[in-house]
């Protein structure tokens, strides 16, 4: 069965600093990978996704992520963080789960705090 | 464009009371629908998913049930709530054949069971 690990529960960065959120996955076949962001009390918004092709994926709000098969990683990056980026970030892997059932498995999330 | 609605936004219920949470999707047909529960520090747990009217799959045995009476309506229910049912419930939709699915989430319902 697939799994996702986000090693950092909480990260604090200063506004304007660069950001990297880590995500490692476990899946036996080609994974379909996603990053979502959740503001407090809100639903999840899709930032970006990787299905195939170029391993560097661009998303909304200036985020990008790089798929590294050799490291089973899909880390999220942003060169300069804004205060409005403070939120919780979830990595997810989509995979077939028996027969024709497809499901997303989420990591436990990384809470990002941005200091002024 | 597609939109997804959930209500109520917040709910406080006593233990043993029934529950009904509703999710509706607009602007698409025959979506795949999902119910997730989010507990603090535990990420998102898939509870139910549906690929069509009357077709419900349960991921985790629990005190909850789901129904899909209409194509774009998904309901989460319980006959008797437990304290452990407290959490943030998210509905999501997708269209496609699975492997290219992107799930889009509603605003969520905060349920507190006292």
């Amino acid at each position: 069965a697939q799994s996702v690990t986000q090693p950092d529960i909480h990260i604090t960065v200063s506004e304007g600093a660069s950001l990297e959120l880590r995500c490692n996955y476990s899946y036996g076949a080609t994974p379909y990978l996603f990053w979502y962001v959740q503001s407090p009390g809100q639903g999840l918004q899709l930032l970006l996704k990787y299905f195939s092709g170029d391993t560097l994926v661009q998303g909304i709000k200036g985020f990008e992520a790089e798929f590294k098969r050799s490291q089973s990683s899909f880390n999220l990056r942003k060169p300069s963080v804004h205060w409005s980026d403070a939120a919780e970030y979830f990595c997810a892997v989509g995979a077939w789960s028996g027969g024709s059932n497809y499901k997303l498995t989420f990591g436990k999330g990384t809470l990002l705090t941005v200091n002024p | 464009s597609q939109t997804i609605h959930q209500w109520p936004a917040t709910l406080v219920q006593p233990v043993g009371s029934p529950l009904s949470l509703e999710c509706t999707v607009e602007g698409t047909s025959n979506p795949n629908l999902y119910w997730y529960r989010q507990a603090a520090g535990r990420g998102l747990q898939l509870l139910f998913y549906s690929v069509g009217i009357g077709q419900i799959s349960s991921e985790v045995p629990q005190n909850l049930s789901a129904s899909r009476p209409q194509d774009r309506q998904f309901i989460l229910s319980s006959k008797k709530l437990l304290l452990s049912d407290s959490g943030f419930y998210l509905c999501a939709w997708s269209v496609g054949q699975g492997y290219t699915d992107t799930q889009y989430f509603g605003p969520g319902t905060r349920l507190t069971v006292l």
Side-chain angles (χ1 to χ4, degrees):
Chain A
Q2 63 272 22
S3 65
V4 178
T5 301
Q6 294 180 247
D8 304 305
I9 297 174
H10 188 190
I11 285 182
T12 299
V13 300
S14 298
E15 191 168 17
S18 63
L19 171 70
E20 183 170 32
L21 302 183
R22 296 183 292 165
C23 173
N24 294 97
Y25 69 89
S26 173
Y27 183 57
T30 301
Y32 303 101
L33 298 161
F34 305 80
W35 274 101
Y36 285 86
V37 61
Q38 183 180 33
S39 297
Q42 302 297 314
L44 275 70
Q45 181 183 22
L46 180 68
L47 284 176
L48 46 80
K49 58 188 178 186
Y50 171 78
F51 290 152
S52 64
D54 193 346
T55 57
L56 184 62
V57 180
Q58 302 298 320
I60 62 171
K61 304 184 179 185
F63 285 93
E64 66 178 25
E66 186 171 13
F67 170 58
K68 293 185 177 180
R69 185 185 299 275
S70 62
Q71 298 178 20
S72 297
S73 69
F74 188 55
N75 293 349
L76 182 71
R77 301 194 295 248
K78 187 170 184 177
S80 177
V81 171
H82 188 263
W83 64 266
S84 60
D85 294 324
E88 191 158 20
Y89 292 79
F90 292 92
C91 180
V93 59
W96 297 99
S97 178
S100 60
N101 297 328
Y102 174 87
K103 60 182 288 187
L104 281 184
T105 299
F106 285 84
K108 293 186 177 181
T110 297
L111 180 64
L112 174 65
T113 298
V114 180
N115 288 334
Chain B
S1 64
Q2 301 88 0
T3 56
I4 178 169
H5 304 279
Q6 287 187 244
W7 63 89
T10 60
L11 190 60
V12 180
Q13 292 285 93
V15 169
S17 64
L19 173 73
S20 181
L21 303 182
E22 189 166 344
C23 170
T24 59
V25 180
E26 297 176 354
T28 187
S29 297
N30 196 30
N32 304 312
L33 296 172
Y34 310 83
W35 278 113
Y36 289 88
R37 177 169 56 204
Q38 187 178 26
R42 300 183 64 181
L44 279 79
Q45 180 185 35
L46 178 63
L47 301 176
F48 301 94
Y49 64 94
S50 171
V51 298
I53 295 175
Q55 300 178 62
I56 310 293
S57 296
S58 173
E59 282 293 300
V60 181
Q62 59 215 317
N63 186 43
L64 303 168
S65 62
S67 61
R68 185 170 178 174
Q70 301 180 43
D71 180 44
R72 291 170 289 176
Q73 184 184 32
F74 205 23
I75 296 174
L76 185 69
S77 304
S78 174
K79 293 182 179 179
K80 290 186 178 181
L81 283 169
L82 305 172
L83 287 174
S84 58
D85 292 324
S86 293
F88 193 50
Y89 288 83
L90 289 160
C91 181
W93 67 273
S94 70
V95 291
Q97 298 303 313
Y99 72 94
T100 57
D101 277 2
T102 296
Q103 292 184 21
Y104 300 94
F105 286 79
T109 294
R110 174 73 60 191
L111 172 65
T112 303
V113 182
L114 301 175

